[in-house]
PDB file of all heavy atoms in Angstrom:
ATOM      1  N   GLU J   1      42.642 -58.254   3.628  1.00  0.00           N
ATOM      2  CA  GLU J   1      43.972 -57.911   3.111  1.00  0.00           C
ATOM      3  C   GLU J   1      43.855 -56.920   1.961  1.00  0.00           C
ATOM      4  O   GLU J   1      44.716 -56.063   1.773  1.00  0.00           O
ATOM      5  CB  GLU J   1      44.691 -59.175   2.639  1.00  0.00           C
ATOM      6  CG  GLU J   1      45.190 -60.066   3.772  1.00  0.00           C
ATOM      7  CD  GLU J   1      45.952 -61.269   3.258  1.00  0.00           C
ATOM      8  OE1 GLU J   1      46.151 -61.361   2.028  1.00  0.00           O
ATOM      9  OE2 GLU J   1      46.346 -62.115   4.078  1.00  0.00           O
ATOM     10  N   LEU J   2      42.772 -57.024   1.184  1.00  0.00           N
ATOM     11  CA  LEU J   2      42.587 -56.155   0.026  1.00  0.00           C
ATOM     12  C   LEU J   2      41.910 -54.840   0.396  1.00  0.00           C
ATOM     13  O   LEU J   2      42.052 -53.847  -0.308  1.00  0.00           O
ATOM     14  CB  LEU J   2      41.753 -56.877  -1.037  1.00  0.00           C
ATOM     15  CG  LEU J   2      42.408 -58.103  -1.681  1.00  0.00           C
ATOM     16  CD1 LEU J   2      41.394 -58.875  -2.513  1.00  0.00           C
ATOM     17  CD2 LEU J   2      43.585 -57.684  -2.549  1.00  0.00           C
ATOM     18  N   ASN J   3      41.150 -54.861   1.488  1.00  0.00           N
ATOM     19  CA  ASN J   3      40.429 -53.648   1.876  1.00  0.00           C
ATOM     20  C   ASN J   3      40.371 -53.551   3.390  1.00  0.00           C
ATOM     21  O   ASN J   3      39.513 -54.160   4.037  1.00  0.00           O
ATOM     22  CB  ASN J   3      39.014 -53.657   1.287  1.00  0.00           C
ATOM     23  CG  ASN J   3      38.343 -52.303   1.392  1.00  0.00           C
ATOM     24  OD1 ASN J   3      38.366 -51.686   2.448  1.00  0.00           O
ATOM     25  ND2 ASN J   3      37.757 -51.839   0.300  1.00  0.00           N
ATOM     26  N   SER J   4      41.265 -52.765   3.956  1.00  0.00           N
ATOM     27  CA  SER J   4      41.360 -52.637   5.413  1.00  0.00           C
ATOM     28  C   SER J   4      40.181 -51.878   6.012  1.00  0.00           C
ATOM     29  O   SER J   4      39.962 -51.922   7.222  1.00  0.00           O
ATOM     30  CB  SER J   4      42.667 -51.933   5.781  1.00  0.00           C
ATOM     31  OG  SER J   4      42.723 -50.642   5.184  1.00  0.00           O
ATOM     32  N   GLN J   5      39.422 -51.159   5.186  1.00  0.00           N
ATOM     33  CA  GLN J   5      38.283 -50.397   5.694  1.00  0.00           C
ATOM     34  C   GLN J   5      37.058 -51.263   5.982  1.00  0.00           C
ATOM     35  O   GLN J   5      36.068 -50.785   6.534  1.00  0.00           O
ATOM     36  CB  GLN J   5      37.896 -49.299   4.701  1.00  0.00           C
ATOM     37  CG  GLN J   5      38.963 -48.226   4.530  1.00  0.00           C
ATOM     38  CD  GLN J   5      38.492 -47.109   3.619  1.00  0.00           C
ATOM     39  OE1 GLN J   5      37.306 -46.800   3.554  1.00  0.00           O
ATOM     40  NE2 GLN J   5      39.426 -46.498   2.913  1.00  0.00           N
ATOM     41  N   LEU J   6      37.134 -52.537   5.604  1.00  0.00           N
ATOM     42  CA  LEU J   6      35.983 -53.409   5.788  1.00  0.00           C
ATOM     43  C   LEU J   6      35.594 -53.535   7.259  1.00  0.00           C
ATOM     44  O   LEU J   6      34.403 -53.602   7.581  1.00  0.00           O
ATOM     45  CB  LEU J   6      36.269 -54.792   5.200  1.00  0.00           C
ATOM     46  CG  LEU J   6      35.139 -55.817   5.334  1.00  0.00           C
ATOM     47  CD1 LEU J   6      33.884 -55.343   4.623  1.00  0.00           C
ATOM     48  CD2 LEU J   6      35.579 -57.182   4.791  1.00  0.00           C
ATOM     49  N   VAL J   7      36.570 -53.552   8.155  1.00  0.00           N
ATOM     50  CA  VAL J   7      36.284 -53.695   9.583  1.00  0.00           C
ATOM     51  C   VAL J   7      35.386 -52.565  10.064  1.00  0.00           C
ATOM     52  O   VAL J   7      34.347 -52.792  10.699  1.00  0.00           O
ATOM     53  CB  VAL J   7      37.587 -53.736  10.416  1.00  0.00           C
ATOM     54  CG1 VAL J   7      37.258 -53.678  11.911  1.00  0.00           C
ATOM     55  CG2 VAL J   7      38.368 -55.004  10.117  1.00  0.00           C
ATOM     56  N   SER J   8      35.760 -51.327   9.770  1.00  0.00           N
ATOM     57  CA  SER J   8      34.959 -50.180  10.212  1.00  0.00           C
ATOM     58  C   SER J   8      33.594 -50.174   9.540  1.00  0.00           C
ATOM     59  O   SER J   8      32.590 -49.782  10.149  1.00  0.00           O
ATOM     60  CB  SER J   8      35.698 -48.868   9.927  1.00  0.00           C
ATOM     61  OG  SER J   8      35.984 -48.732   8.549  1.00  0.00           O
ATOM     62  N   THR J   9      33.530 -50.637   8.286  1.00  0.00           N
ATOM     63  CA  THR J   9      32.249 -50.711   7.572  1.00  0.00           C
ATOM     64  C   THR J   9      31.315 -51.707   8.246  1.00  0.00           C
ATOM     65  O   THR J   9      30.124 -51.436   8.435  1.00  0.00           O
ATOM     66  CB  THR J   9      32.470 -51.112   6.099  1.00  0.00           C
ATOM     67  OG1 THR J   9      33.333 -50.166   5.469  1.00  0.00           O
ATOM     68  CG2 THR J   9      31.150 -51.172   5.353  1.00  0.00           C
ATOM     69  N   LEU J  10      31.857 -52.860   8.630  1.00  0.00           N
ATOM     70  CA  LEU J  10      31.058 -53.881   9.301  1.00  0.00           C
ATOM     71  C   LEU J  10      30.532 -53.373  10.641  1.00  0.00           C
ATOM     72  O   LEU J  10      29.347 -53.540  10.959  1.00  0.00           O
ATOM     73  CB  LEU J  10      31.885 -55.153   9.511  1.00  0.00           C
ATOM     74  CG  LEU J  10      32.170 -56.015   8.276  1.00  0.00           C
ATOM     75  CD1 LEU J  10      33.191 -57.096   8.608  1.00  0.00           C
ATOM     76  CD2 LEU J  10      30.893 -56.647   7.766  1.00  0.00           C
ATOM     77  N   ILE J  11      31.415 -52.771  11.421  1.00  0.00           N
ATOM     78  CA  ILE J  11      31.019 -52.274  12.741  1.00  0.00           C
ATOM     79  C   ILE J  11      29.947 -51.200  12.608  1.00  0.00           C
ATOM     80  O   ILE J  11      28.927 -51.224  13.320  1.00  0.00           O
ATOM     81  CB  ILE J  11      32.244 -51.717  13.501  1.00  0.00           C
ATOM     82  CG1 ILE J  11      33.179 -52.873  13.900  1.00  0.00           C
ATOM     83  CG2 ILE J  11      31.811 -50.936  14.737  1.00  0.00           C
ATOM     84  CD1 ILE J  11      34.474 -52.435  14.524  1.00  0.00           C
ATOM     85  N   ASN J  12      30.139 -50.266  11.694  1.00  0.00           N
ATOM     86  CA  ASN J  12      29.160 -49.193  11.494  1.00  0.00           C
ATOM     87  C   ASN J  12      27.810 -49.764  11.065  1.00  0.00           C
ATOM     88  O   ASN J  12      26.757 -49.324  11.550  1.00  0.00           O
ATOM     89  CB  ASN J  12      29.674 -48.211  10.441  1.00  0.00           C
ATOM     90  CG  ASN J  12      28.707 -47.056  10.209  1.00  0.00           C
ATOM     91  OD1 ASN J  12      28.447 -46.254  11.085  1.00  0.00           O
ATOM     92  ND2 ASN J  12      28.173 -46.998   8.995  1.00  0.00           N
ATOM     93  N   PHE J  13      27.845 -50.747  10.184  1.00  0.00           N
ATOM     94  CA  PHE J  13      26.611 -51.356   9.690  1.00  0.00           C
ATOM     95  C   PHE J  13      25.846 -52.029  10.831  1.00  0.00           C
ATOM     96  O   PHE J  13      24.629 -51.860  10.971  1.00  0.00           O
ATOM     97  CB  PHE J  13      26.934 -52.380   8.606  1.00  0.00           C
ATOM     98  CG  PHE J  13      25.724 -53.039   8.007  1.00  0.00           C
ATOM     99  CD1 PHE J  13      24.971 -52.391   7.039  1.00  0.00           C
ATOM    100  CD2 PHE J  13      25.342 -54.310   8.400  1.00  0.00           C
ATOM    101  CE1 PHE J  13      23.854 -52.994   6.480  1.00  0.00           C
ATOM    102  CE2 PHE J  13      24.225 -54.926   7.850  1.00  0.00           C
ATOM    103  CZ  PHE J  13      23.484 -54.261   6.880  1.00  0.00           C
ATOM    104  N   MET J  14      26.560 -52.792  11.667  1.00  0.00           N
ATOM    105  CA  MET J  14      25.901 -53.498  12.766  1.00  0.00           C
ATOM    106  C   MET J  14      25.371 -52.534  13.821  1.00  0.00           C
ATOM    107  O   MET J  14      24.343 -52.785  14.446  1.00  0.00           O
ATOM    108  CB  MET J  14      26.859 -54.517  13.385  1.00  0.00           C
ATOM    109  CG  MET J  14      27.100 -55.739  12.489  1.00  0.00           C
ATOM    110  SD  MET J  14      28.158 -57.011  13.237  1.00  0.00           S
ATOM    111  CE  MET J  14      29.778 -56.315  12.907  1.00  0.00           C
ATOM    112  N   GLU J  15      26.073 -51.427  14.007  1.00  0.00           N
ATOM    113  CA  GLU J  15      25.645 -50.452  15.023  1.00  0.00           C
ATOM    114  C   GLU J  15      24.456 -49.619  14.576  1.00  0.00           C
ATOM    115  O   GLU J  15      23.701 -49.121  15.413  1.00  0.00           O
ATOM    116  CB  GLU J  15      26.818 -49.539  15.389  1.00  0.00           C
ATOM    117  CG  GLU J  15      27.892 -50.240  16.218  1.00  0.00           C
ATOM    118  CD  GLU J  15      29.034 -49.306  16.585  1.00  0.00           C
ATOM    119  OE1 GLU J  15      29.139 -48.241  15.948  1.00  0.00           O
ATOM    120  OE2 GLU J  15      29.824 -49.673  17.483  1.00  0.00           O
ATOM    121  N   THR J  16      24.291 -49.446  13.282  1.00  0.00           N
ATOM    122  CA  THR J  16      23.216 -48.585  12.787  1.00  0.00           C
ATOM    123  C   THR J  16      21.948 -49.357  12.411  1.00  0.00           C
ATOM    124  O   THR J  16      20.928 -48.742  12.092  1.00  0.00           O
ATOM    125  CB  THR J  16      23.687 -47.786  11.557  1.00  0.00           C
ATOM    126  OG1 THR J  16      24.205 -48.689  10.558  1.00  0.00           O
ATOM    127  CG2 THR J  16      24.754 -46.782  11.938  1.00  0.00           C
ATOM    128  N   THR J  17      22.011 -50.696  12.443  1.00  0.00           N
ATOM    129  CA  THR J  17      20.805 -51.485  12.174  1.00  0.00           C
ATOM    130  C   THR J  17      19.815 -51.298  13.319  1.00  0.00           C
ATOM    131  O   THR J  17      20.165 -51.466  14.484  1.00  0.00           O
ATOM    132  CB  THR J  17      21.159 -52.978  12.022  1.00  0.00           C
ATOM    133  OG1 THR J  17      21.994 -53.146  10.868  1.00  0.00           O
ATOM    134  CG2 THR J  17      19.900 -53.815  11.851  1.00  0.00           C
ATOM    135  N   SER J  18      18.571 -50.952  13.006  1.00  0.00           N
ATOM    136  CA  SER J  18      17.566 -50.716  14.047  1.00  0.00           C
ATOM    137  C   SER J  18      17.029 -52.037  14.587  1.00  0.00           C
ATOM    138  O   SER J  18      17.218 -53.106  13.991  1.00  0.00           O
ATOM    139  CB  SER J  18      16.414 -49.883  13.485  1.00  0.00           C
ATOM    140  OG  SER J  18      15.565 -50.686  12.678  1.00  0.00           O
ATOM    141  N   GLU J  19      16.342 -51.952  15.711  1.00  0.00           N
ATOM    142  CA  GLU J  19      15.773 -53.148  16.333  1.00  0.00           C
ATOM    143  C   GLU J  19      14.616 -53.716  15.523  1.00  0.00           C
ATOM    144  O   GLU J  19      14.180 -54.841  15.770  1.00  0.00           O
ATOM    145  CB  GLU J  19      15.312 -52.849  17.760  1.00  0.00           C
ATOM    146  CG  GLU J  19      16.467 -52.602  18.728  1.00  0.00           C
ATOM    147  CD  GLU J  19      15.996 -52.544  20.170  1.00  0.00           C
ATOM    148  OE1 GLU J  19      14.761 -52.538  20.392  1.00  0.00           O
ATOM    149  OE2 GLU J  19      16.858 -52.506  21.064  1.00  0.00           O
ATOM    150  N   LYS J  20      14.093 -52.957  14.578  1.00  0.00           N
ATOM    151  CA  LYS J  20      13.013 -53.430  13.731  1.00  0.00           C
ATOM    152  C   LYS J  20      13.524 -54.027  12.425  1.00  0.00           C
ATOM    153  O   LYS J  20      12.750 -54.413  11.556  1.00  0.00           O
ATOM    154  CB  LYS J  20      12.028 -52.284  13.433  1.00  0.00           C
ATOM    155  CG  LYS J  20      11.291 -51.778  14.669  1.00  0.00           C
ATOM    156  CD  LYS J  20      10.484 -52.900  15.334  1.00  0.00           C
ATOM    157  CE  LYS J  20       9.735 -52.397  16.551  1.00  0.00           C
ATOM    158  NZ  LYS J  20       8.972 -53.492  17.219  1.00  0.00           N
ATOM    159  N   GLN J  21      14.858 -54.074  12.298  1.00  0.00           N
ATOM    160  CA  GLN J  21      15.477 -54.692  11.130  1.00  0.00           C
ATOM    161  C   GLN J  21      16.278 -55.902  11.570  1.00  0.00           C
ATOM    162  O   GLN J  21      16.725 -55.992  12.720  1.00  0.00           O
ATOM    163  CB  GLN J  21      16.414 -53.706  10.421  1.00  0.00           C
ATOM    164  CG  GLN J  21      15.715 -52.539   9.757  1.00  0.00           C
ATOM    165  CD  GLN J  21      16.721 -51.583   9.131  1.00  0.00           C
ATOM    166  OE1 GLN J  21      17.627 -51.096   9.790  1.00  0.00           O
ATOM    167  NE2 GLN J  21      16.553 -51.322   7.844  1.00  0.00           N
ATOM    168  N   PHE J  22      16.452 -56.834  10.638  1.00  0.00           N
ATOM    169  CA  PHE J  22      17.321 -57.972  10.923  1.00  0.00           C
ATOM    170  C   PHE J  22      18.304 -58.139   9.769  1.00  0.00           C
ATOM    171  O   PHE J  22      17.955 -58.595   8.685  1.00  0.00           O
ATOM    172  CB  PHE J  22      16.524 -59.260  11.121  1.00  0.00           C
ATOM    173  CG  PHE J  22      17.409 -60.448  11.363  1.00  0.00           C
ATOM    174  CD1 PHE J  22      18.208 -60.505  12.497  1.00  0.00           C
ATOM    175  CD2 PHE J  22      17.472 -61.486  10.447  1.00  0.00           C
ATOM    176  CE1 PHE J  22      19.047 -61.588  12.717  1.00  0.00           C
ATOM    177  CE2 PHE J  22      18.306 -62.566  10.662  1.00  0.00           C
ATOM    178  CZ  PHE J  22      19.092 -62.628  11.801  1.00  0.00           C
ATOM    179  N   HIS J  23      19.525 -57.698  10.023  1.00  0.00           N
ATOM    180  CA  HIS J  23      20.591 -57.813   9.032  1.00  0.00           C
ATOM    181  C   HIS J  23      21.693 -58.679   9.631  1.00  0.00           C
ATOM    182  O   HIS J  23      22.398 -58.242  10.540  1.00  0.00           O
ATOM    183  CB  HIS J  23      21.146 -56.433   8.670  1.00  0.00           C
ATOM    184  CG  HIS J  23      20.140 -55.543   8.023  1.00  0.00           C
ATOM    185  ND1 HIS J  23      20.073 -54.190   8.266  1.00  0.00           N
ATOM    186  CD2 HIS J  23      19.129 -55.819   7.156  1.00  0.00           C
ATOM    187  CE1 HIS J  23      19.085 -53.661   7.558  1.00  0.00           C
ATOM    188  NE2 HIS J  23      18.508 -54.630   6.882  1.00  0.00           N
ATOM    189  N   LEU J  24      21.818 -59.875   9.142  1.00  0.00           N
ATOM    190  CA  LEU J  24      22.786 -60.821   9.692  1.00  0.00           C
ATOM    191  C   LEU J  24      24.006 -60.913   8.794  1.00  0.00           C
ATOM    192  O   LEU J  24      23.882 -61.170   7.588  1.00  0.00           O
ATOM    193  CB  LEU J  24      22.152 -62.200   9.842  1.00  0.00           C
ATOM    194  CG  LEU J  24      23.074 -63.307  10.361  1.00  0.00           C
ATOM    195  CD1 LEU J  24      23.503 -63.014  11.807  1.00  0.00           C
ATOM    196  CD2 LEU J  24      22.386 -64.655  10.271  1.00  0.00           C
ATOM    197  N   ILE J  25      25.179 -60.707   9.366  1.00  0.00           N
ATOM    198  CA  ILE J  25      26.427 -60.841   8.618  1.00  0.00           C
ATOM    199  C   ILE J  25      27.011 -62.227   8.875  1.00  0.00           C
ATOM    200  O   ILE J  25      27.186 -62.639  10.024  1.00  0.00           O
ATOM    201  CB  ILE J  25      27.429 -59.752   9.026  1.00  0.00           C
ATOM    202  CG1 ILE J  25      26.900 -58.378   8.612  1.00  0.00           C
ATOM    203  CG2 ILE J  25      28.793 -60.007   8.385  1.00  0.00           C
ATOM    204  CD1 ILE J  25      27.725 -57.217   9.096  1.00  0.00           C
ATOM    205  N   VAL J  26      27.294 -62.938   7.808  1.00  0.00           N
ATOM    206  CA  VAL J  26      27.887 -64.275   7.909  1.00  0.00           C
ATOM    207  C   VAL J  26      29.245 -64.253   7.213  1.00  0.00           C
ATOM    208  O   VAL J  26      29.343 -63.971   6.019  1.00  0.00           O
ATOM    209  CB  VAL J  26      26.984 -65.345   7.265  1.00  0.00           C
ATOM    210  CG1 VAL J  26      27.649 -66.725   7.359  1.00  0.00           C
ATOM    211  CG2 VAL J  26      25.615 -65.377   7.931  1.00  0.00           C
ATOM    212  N   LEU J  27      30.285 -64.515   7.995  1.00  0.00           N
ATOM    213  CA  LEU J  27      31.644 -64.561   7.464  1.00  0.00           C
ATOM    214  C   LEU J  27      32.120 -66.008   7.411  1.00  0.00           C
ATOM    215  O   LEU J  27      31.824 -66.795   8.308  1.00  0.00           O
ATOM    216  CB  LEU J  27      32.597 -63.758   8.347  1.00  0.00           C
ATOM    217  CG  LEU J  27      32.197 -62.329   8.732  1.00  0.00           C
ATOM    218  CD1 LEU J  27      33.259 -61.721   9.644  1.00  0.00           C
ATOM    219  CD2 LEU J  27      31.989 -61.471   7.497  1.00  0.00           C
ATOM    220  N   THR J  28      32.863 -66.353   6.366  1.00  0.00           N
ATOM    221  CA  THR J  28      33.531 -67.649   6.330  1.00  0.00           C
ATOM    222  C   THR J  28      35.034 -67.417   6.196  1.00  0.00           C
ATOM    223  O   THR J  28      35.470 -66.485   5.516  1.00  0.00           O
ATOM    224  CB  THR J  28      33.025 -68.528   5.167  1.00  0.00           C
ATOM    225  OG1 THR J  28      32.998 -67.762   3.956  1.00  0.00           O
ATOM    226  CG2 THR J  28      31.633 -69.042   5.454  1.00  0.00           C
ATOM    227  N   SER J  29      35.785 -68.271   6.863  1.00  0.00           N
ATOM    228  CA  SER J  29      37.238 -68.056   6.927  1.00  0.00           C
ATOM    229  C   SER J  29      37.974 -69.371   7.100  1.00  0.00           C
ATOM    230  O   SER J  29      37.466 -70.317   7.724  1.00  0.00           O
ATOM    231  CB  SER J  29      37.568 -67.129   8.107  1.00  0.00           C
ATOM    232  OG  SER J  29      38.963 -67.052   8.316  1.00  0.00           O
ATOM    233  N   THR J  30      39.179 -69.426   6.551  1.00  0.00           N
ATOM    234  CA  THR J  30      40.049 -70.577   6.782  1.00  0.00           C
ATOM    235  C   THR J  30      41.058 -70.300   7.890  1.00  0.00           C
ATOM    236  O   THR J  30      41.767 -71.196   8.323  1.00  0.00           O
ATOM    237  CB  THR J  30      40.819 -70.956   5.493  1.00  0.00           C
ATOM    238  OG1 THR J  30      41.564 -69.816   5.046  1.00  0.00           O
ATOM    239  CG2 THR J  30      39.865 -71.395   4.393  1.00  0.00           C
TER     240      THR J  30
END
């Protein structure tokens, strides 16, 4: 709600992570 650009940032981050890296995103929500 505070930052609508977060969605595109998350997608870009997950798409650019190489197979030799492990970057796990953990979201919590109500």
Side-chain angles (χ1 to χ4, degrees):
E1 286 183 4
L2 294 169
N3 193 313
S4 59
Q5 294 184 31
L6 180 61
V7 172
S8 59
T9 302
L10 287 170
I11 290 174
N12 181 64
F13 181 80
M14 288 183 279
E15 288 181 344
T16 54
T17 296
S18 77
E19 290 190 352
K20 295 301 181 181
Q21 292 178 305
F22 178 64
H23 297 142
L24 178 66
I25 294 173
V26 179
L27 310 178
T28 47
S29 172
T30 57

